[in-house]
Amino acid sequence: MLAGLKPLEAAELQLTHEPAAAGGTLRVLDARAFQYTRGSSSINSTNSPAALKAEAERDKTALREMGRALEALGLAHYDQWQAWRLLAAVLHLGNLKLAPAARADGSTAEAAELRDAATLSMAAKLLGLSPEALSGALLSRCIKAGAEYISTPYSAAEAVALRDGLAKALYARLFDRVVSSINTSPNVNGSDDDGGADGGLAKGIADKPRNRPFIGMLDIFGFEDFETNSLEQLLINYVRGRSPPLFCASGYEPATDAPAPSRPQSNEHMQAIFNEIIFLAAQAEAAEEGVPLPVFDAEAVSNSSTLSLFSTPHRGLFSLLNEECVFPKGTDISFTAKFAAANKDNLRLQLPPPAAGEQRGASFAVTHYAGTVCYSSHGFLLKNKDPFSEDLLVLLRTSTEPFVASLFAPPPHSKGEARGGRLKSGRGFRGVVGKYATELEELLRVIRSSRAHFIRCCLLYTSPSPRDGLL
């Protein structure tokens, strides 16, 4: 986006350097100017001016190509501009400097303060909020005490987590809206409706796709095992990332009119379904030809022991993690201890000896279908809570930017939804893993009601180039 925007467009999004003199040339900021993007491996590996220029040209071309593709799918230039505005706001949020407030005597207080009014103003403008309101929601929370509300300041660490949670929520809801808009676009579902004024990103994410035949494409394989693995890797290995399948109309008739799901694809679950379909087909073929079947480990094929580690009520990882998030003195270590105790008879779970200087219970290992991965439990509770305050939610619903306000409008089917994946009704806390589990079940329901076909990869990619390799 930064490379592809024209200077005047970037200036409207506050993404340019100030000209050195009146009438000077506007220069668009690059990714190194923003906290959220300056750590990119592609940026850090590109040092020479020539390489940087070549990278910028590729990005500029990629933005144009993506724009044309989105237009072909029904997202006009105006809709794309709404997305760029929100992404610019996310970049500015990442540059907000939050630190312990300074006292008159030179010491610092526990409460946080903002030290960059200019960046705050840019982010607030793009989000359709006043700087004062955004600052207030990031620095303090309102707690109801009887008939009154009390403002309690956040610490610097809490404010930073809240800022990052806001950025994640904005990005995630934009992503969902783009996918929903594509799936409900007349250019995709074959409707005669031209969308009218309510088309594109202006349509709510709660809009249901029409019940039409579809072909769903899923990349079912994905596995991560790094030097340090956390909740992100665990969900990728169990729930295959956050990339949703894009369903389009076709002559393919599913077994039912089940609607297309919105998000996750599961490595562990998809592997189990793949195994089930392939083995059942092989068994049926053998029975038809009168070929005796060899004895095999049915549990290894079903992968049920690993799946039960995650999804079993009351003792599975998802259930125990949500429970520990609302426990008054819950910690990452106490969660690991409860998880290990509840599943002590499951051979797919191990507690490795602590590394030097590491507390026992700071990590655990899971034997997945593809291999054993050791996960560090540090940060599991915070990541599952996905900090995003009620104050910020209410504030965003009052945005003067209709698109921003619509992203956080309460869904008609659920009263009391406070934050992405979290309910504050009597149903209790669900957290990030709760939302993933729900959406996974939705996806599995569609897969099981459809005819599945598998395409083997003929030639693997040998380099990151999108044009190198053949599927």
Side-chain angles (χ1 to χ4, degrees):
M1 181 182 76
L2 292 170
L5 288 174
K6 298 175 182 177
L8 288 178
E9 292 175 329
E12 189 173 339
L13 302 181
Q14 313 290 317
L15 298 175
T16 55
H17 291 280
E18 288 293 332
T25 303
L26 287 172
R27 290 191 301 114
V28 181
L29 296 167
D30 64 28
R32 291 170 295 181
F34 299 98
Q35 181 65 33
Y36 287 152
T37 54
R38 67 171 58 120
S40 168
S41 58
S42 63
I43 294 172
N44 294 332
S45 62
T46 305
N47 298 314
S48 70
L52 286 170
K53 185 177 180 180
E55 180 73 17
E57 286 300 318
R58 285 193 294 270
D59 288 343
K60 186 183 297 185
T61 301
L63 187 71
R64 287 197 300 267
E65 291 176 348
M66 182 172 65
R68 288 194 293 268
L70 290 174
E71 284 193 50
L73 291 168
L75 296 185
H77 180 74
Y78 172 80
D79 300 314
Q80 296 174 39
W81 182 248
Q82 297 302 311
W84 307 154
R85 281 184 62 91
L86 202 67
L87 291 177
V90 169
L91 290 175
H92 290 307
L93 281 173
N95 282 4
L96 282 178
K97 295 180 175 62
L98 294 153
R103 293 193 177 100
D105 61 2
S107 62
T108 57
E110 184 177 347
E113 71 173 4
L114 272 164
R115 296 184 177 177
D116 192 345
T119 301
L120 172 68
S121 180
M122 290 187 286
K125 178 182 178 182
L126 293 169
L127 292 174
L129 306 171
S130 72
E132 296 77 17
L134 180 58
S135 174
L138 288 172
L139 296 178
S140 62
R141 67 171 71 87
C142 286
I143 301 174
K144 189 173 183 180
E148 298 181 352
Y149 284 90
I150 300 174
S151 179
T152 304
Y154 289 113
S155 68
E158 289 172 331
V160 168
L162 189 60
R163 176 204 66 189
D164 293 341
L166 170 59
K168 291 176 185 177
L170 288 166
Y171 192 94
R173 297 204 184 205
L174 171 63
F175 187 91
D176 286 342
R177 179 64 61 84
V178 170
V179 172
S180 176
S181 299
I182 292 174
N183 286 338
T184 57
S185 166
N187 293 7
V188 172
N189 62 37
S191 169
D192 294 330
D193 179 14
D194 64 0
D198 295 328
L201 294 183
K203 299 182 72 173
I205 195 169
D207 291 347
K208 293 183 178 179
R210 297 169 178 84
N211 291 332
R212 292 179 177 272
F214 66 87
I215 290 178
M217 294 180 292
L218 285 141
D219 176 9
I220 68 172
F221 295 106
F223 197 71
E224 289 193 356
D225 185 8
F226 302 133
E227 185 175 343
T228 301
N229 301 290
S230 188
L231 184 62
E232 297 88 346
Q233 282 68 49
L234 186 143
L235 291 177
I236 286 171
N237 292 340
Y238 179 75
V239 182
R240 172 74 167 90
R242 293 181 63 120
S243 303
L246 299 184
F247 290 87
C248 59
S250 74
Y252 181 79
E253 184 69 47
T256 72
D257 286 331
S262 60
R263 274 209 203 158
Q265 309 162 18
S266 165
N267 178 5
E268 210 71 58
H269 266 289
M270 292 301 103
Q271 181 68 58
I273 288 177
F274 173 82
N275 290 350
E276 179 183 348
I277 292 173
I278 294 301
F279 274 85
L280 284 176
Q283 286 177 309
E285 183 179 359
E288 184 179 344
E289 297 179 359
V291 177
L293 290 172
V295 178
F296 63 93
D297 186 353
E299 195 284 325
V301 172
S302 68
N303 208 24
S304 58
S305 293
T306 303
L307 294 176
S308 69
L309 275 178
F310 294 91
S311 56
T312 303
H314 309 301
R315 63 183 178 85
L317 184 143
F318 294 158
S319 178
L320 291 174
L321 183 57
N322 283 338
E323 178 183 294
E324 203 66 11
C325 283
V326 297
F327 193 70
K329 296 184 178 180
T331 65
D332 299 322
I333 298 296
S334 62
F335 154 70
T336 306
K338 292 177 182 178
F339 179 46
N343 296 276
K344 62 180 184 297
D345 296 326
N346 192 321
L347 299 180
R348 301 296 181 95
L349 175 68
Q350 303 92 38
L351 282 184
E358 184 182 66
Q359 187 175 355
R360 178 168 177 77
S363 62
F364 60 91
V366 173
T367 301
H368 296 277
Y369 187 88
T372 300
V373 180
C374 185
Y375 297 98
S376 168
S377 60
H378 176 70
F380 263 48
L381 267 65
L382 179 61
K383 291 174 181 178
N384 188 47
K385 291 175 183 177
D386 195 17
F388 185 54
S389 75
E390 182 80 14
D391 296 339
L392 275 172
L393 178 69
V394 172
L395 178 62
L396 288 164
R397 287 176 179 170
T398 67
S399 169
T400 58
E401 290 289 337
F403 176 62
V404 174
S406 71
L407 289 178
F408 295 88
H413 61 278
S414 176
K415 296 180 179 179
E417 183 172 343
R419 42 197 79 131
R422 188 179 303 188
L423 293 177
K424 294 192 74 177
S425 65
R427 293 168 62 188
F429 175 82
R430 290 197 308 160
V432 169
V433 297
K435 185 177 183 183
Y436 267 68
T438 299
E439 292 179 341
L440 174 60
E441 286 303 316
E442 187 180 353
L443 173 59
L444 293 176
R445 177 174 57 82
V446 174
I447 292 174
R448 291 187 177 114
S449 67
S450 305
R451 300 189 191 98
H453 301 271
F454 299 94
I455 302 173
R456 185 184 297 272
C457 181
C458 301
L459 177 64
L460 294 175
Y461 290 112
T462 56
S463 77
S465 172
R467 294 178 177 82
D468 179 35
L470 170 69
L471 289 180

